[in-house]
Amino acid sequence: MMIFWIVTGLAVLAVAAPMVVALLRARREITGAEASDLQVYRDQLSEIDRDRARGTIGEAEAERLRTEVSRRILAADSRAHQAGAAPASGAARGPRRVSAALLLLALIGGSYALYLTLGAPGYGDLTLRDRIAAAQEMRETRPSQQEAEAALPASPPSDAPEEYAQLVTRLRGAVEERPDDLQGQMLLARSEAALGNYAAAYAAQRRVIDLKADTAGAEDYADLADMMVLAAGGYVSPEAEKVLDQVMQRDPENGVARYYGGLMMAQTGRPDSAFRIWDNLLRDSDAGAPWVPAIAEQMPQMAQRAGINDYTLPQMASADLPGALPGPTTEDMQAASKMSEADRQAMIEGMVDNLSQRLADQGGSPEEWARLLTALGVLGQTDRAQSIWDEAQQVFATRPEALATVRQGAARAGLTD
């Protein structure tokens, strides 16, 4: 880094030097007697040419006069430049020196300020291939789970009620006596996590998975990964990554695994991959999903790191923010039943149109598609509902669970059994 700063400093000085020298050596304007003499001599040359044209003087006389006037012009010009090159007085040199110093400081300070804002001090100029290779090496050589936990400061004592702490202590003793008690291990894992003892929590969760053997599901592994990441202070270790792989093998749509997978990519120098994973997860998630607030908070910066400057959060990520347009809920429908027929029809149709337009433009959750179908069934717009149900089957064709949710709305609209 020191060599970099020295080289860049010399480059700035090289650029600034000509401007500084020009300021310090500035000549005064040719004024006064020298300027007057030069103007008189130039007028004389013009007058000689006019006399020659009128025939007042001959060619030889005109040439002699032009030579004499030209000699005087050269002499006057020489005196003028000698006067302009004369050293300036102390009063004149002062402002020039101040201006030169300010110029130099502005160039150096501005250049470094701009670099610190836009550049990456200490980061080499790498090609995309080199950057990907460096990220892969970082991923392969990153600290282990044990190293990450050891580097964390000691956790503060839990502020749980004394009675609860005593119960957990008794539970630990009971599980120690009966290590094959599945229910006891499951309860211990949750209890330790509630106390913030995440290392003990994931140790108990590992035992849960061992006891369940082949019946352990994606959620069991997702809980284990969650506890491991929390135990490491939010860091996704190689051991946690292997657990996330187990989750994805069992449930490729698992939100916990996808969230931590994106976090791991961000931590190992691949913000582009992290952005893609999180953006897809946001679009597939309900607004109430636990990972949505965390992703929504980090996505603007992640998008910028990935080279995307005009990113806008998907609708589901901002569904709880002002300006969201929910569709008619069950409560809305019940409230509408107390209105007059005209008012009820107008209210429902307005909400249905808003929801339908938003789903067409931006997409939405399976619950919103189901809600739209239900509302269209209430309105008796069966043909329109059928068209939307056909579209929904294509949109959610690769997501059976989401399609099952939409199918419930279609059933309420009378489109399916």
Side-chain angles (χ1 to χ4, degrees):
M1 281 301 296
M2 184 57 66
I3 295 177
F4 170 78
W5 295 120
I6 293 174
V7 171
T8 53
L10 292 175
V12 173
L13 289 175
V15 173
M19 292 182 281
V20 172
V21 170
L23 278 173
L24 295 177
R25 291 186 177 179
R27 299 173 181 269
R28 68 177 178 86
E29 293 292 331
I30 300 176
T31 58
E34 294 88 354
S36 178
D37 291 345
L38 286 172
Q39 187 59 46
V40 170
Y41 295 147
R42 293 190 181 98
D43 291 342
Q44 288 179 351
L45 284 176
S46 300
E47 185 65 26
I48 291 171
D49 291 337
R50 287 194 293 271
D51 290 344
R52 175 67 186 89
R54 289 195 299 266
T56 307
I57 58 176
E59 179 62 33
E61 180 64 14
E63 185 63 28
R64 183 186 68 79
L65 292 174
R66 277 196 293 267
T67 301
E68 177 63 22
V69 173
S70 298
R71 183 186 64 77
R72 294 177 182 179
I73 289 177
L74 292 174
D77 184 67
S78 177
R79 291 194 302 271
H81 280 81
Q82 288 176 359
S89 64
R93 287 197 300 268
R96 293 177 185 173
R97 290 175 178 174
V98 172
S99 299
L102 291 176
L103 175 63
L104 188 60
L105 290 175
L107 286 173
I108 296 177
S111 299
Y112 284 126
L114 189 62
Y115 175 72
L116 292 174
T117 301
L118 302 178
Y123 197 72
D125 186 12
L126 303 176
T127 63
L128 180 59
R129 178 180 298 177
D130 291 336
R131 292 174 188 270
I132 293 176
Q136 182 64 28
E137 182 180 0
M138 182 189 302
R139 179 177 175 181
E140 294 173 353
T141 60
R142 68 191 192 274
S144 66
Q145 180 76 24
Q146 184 178 2
E147 292 171 335
E149 293 180 25
L152 293 176
S155 301
S158 174
D159 57 354
E162 182 63 26
E163 295 82 359
Y164 181 78
Q166 292 177 358
L167 288 173
V168 175
T169 301
R170 291 167 56 188
L171 177 61
R172 292 169 185 155
V175 170
E176 187 175 356
E177 294 177 359
R178 299 189 298 275
D180 294 337
D181 182 355
L182 176 60
Q183 296 299 324
Q185 293 287 0
M186 294 172 63
L187 182 58
L188 180 61
R190 298 191 188 99
S191 301
E192 296 287 14
L195 290 174
N197 301 327
Y198 297 113
Y202 78 71
Q205 185 65 19
R206 280 191 185 279
R207 184 60 183 158
V208 169
I209 293 175
D210 291 340
L211 292 174
K212 286 188 174 183
D214 294 339
T215 62
E219 292 301 323
D220 297 315
Y221 284 94
D223 290 342
L224 175 58
D226 191 27
M227 295 171 184
M228 293 179 69
V229 174
L230 292 173
Y235 164 70
V236 184
S237 66
E239 293 83 355
E241 180 185 358
K242 293 179 180 178
V243 177
L244 293 174
D245 291 340
Q246 293 291 330
V247 180
M248 296 299 288
Q249 290 176 12
R250 290 164 173 79
D251 179 13
E253 300 298 321
N254 186 273
V256 173
R258 294 167 69 185
Y259 169 69
Y260 283 133
L263 181 62
M264 181 197 66
M265 287 298 181
Q267 292 174 347
T268 55
R270 290 301 303 272
D272 54 327
S273 296
F275 170 80
R276 287 194 296 270
I277 293 172
W278 281 357
D279 182 62
N280 290 332
L281 179 56
L282 281 180
R283 298 179 187 280
D284 294 341
S285 299
D286 298 334
W291 49 81
V292 166
I295 296 179
E297 181 180 358
Q298 301 176 70
M299 275 300 275
Q301 181 182 8
M302 193 64 64
Q304 192 172 39
R305 291 176 58 193
I308 301 172
N309 298 320
D310 56 349
Y311 178 72
T312 302
L313 289 173
Q315 181 65 29
M316 288 314 300
S318 55
D320 290 335
L321 300 177
L325 300 174
T329 63
T330 302
E331 290 76 16
D332 294 330
M333 305 297 285
Q334 292 174 350
S337 65
K338 302 175 184 178
M339 298 179 177
S340 66
E341 183 64 27
D343 291 342
R344 179 177 60 191
Q345 190 79 2
M347 187 197 79
I348 295 177
E349 287 182 356
M351 289 188 291
V352 167
D353 289 342
N354 284 336
L355 178 59
S356 178
Q357 185 64 42
R358 180 162 61 86
L359 293 182
D361 294 341
Q362 305 173 2
S365 68
E367 289 76 9
E368 288 180 314
W369 284 79
R371 186 181 300 174
L372 176 60
L373 291 172
T374 301
L376 290 174
V378 172
L379 292 174
Q381 299 182 13
T382 307
D383 293 340
R384 184 179 175 189
Q386 183 64 55
S387 176
I388 292 176
W389 169 232
D390 293 341
E391 181 182 357
Q393 293 180 75
Q394 298 178 8
V395 172
F396 298 100
T398 60
R399 299 169 55 192
E401 294 181 359
L403 184 58
T405 300
V406 183
R407 189 184 302 276
Q408 295 175 8
R412 289 190 291 268
L415 304 177
T416 64
D417 295 334

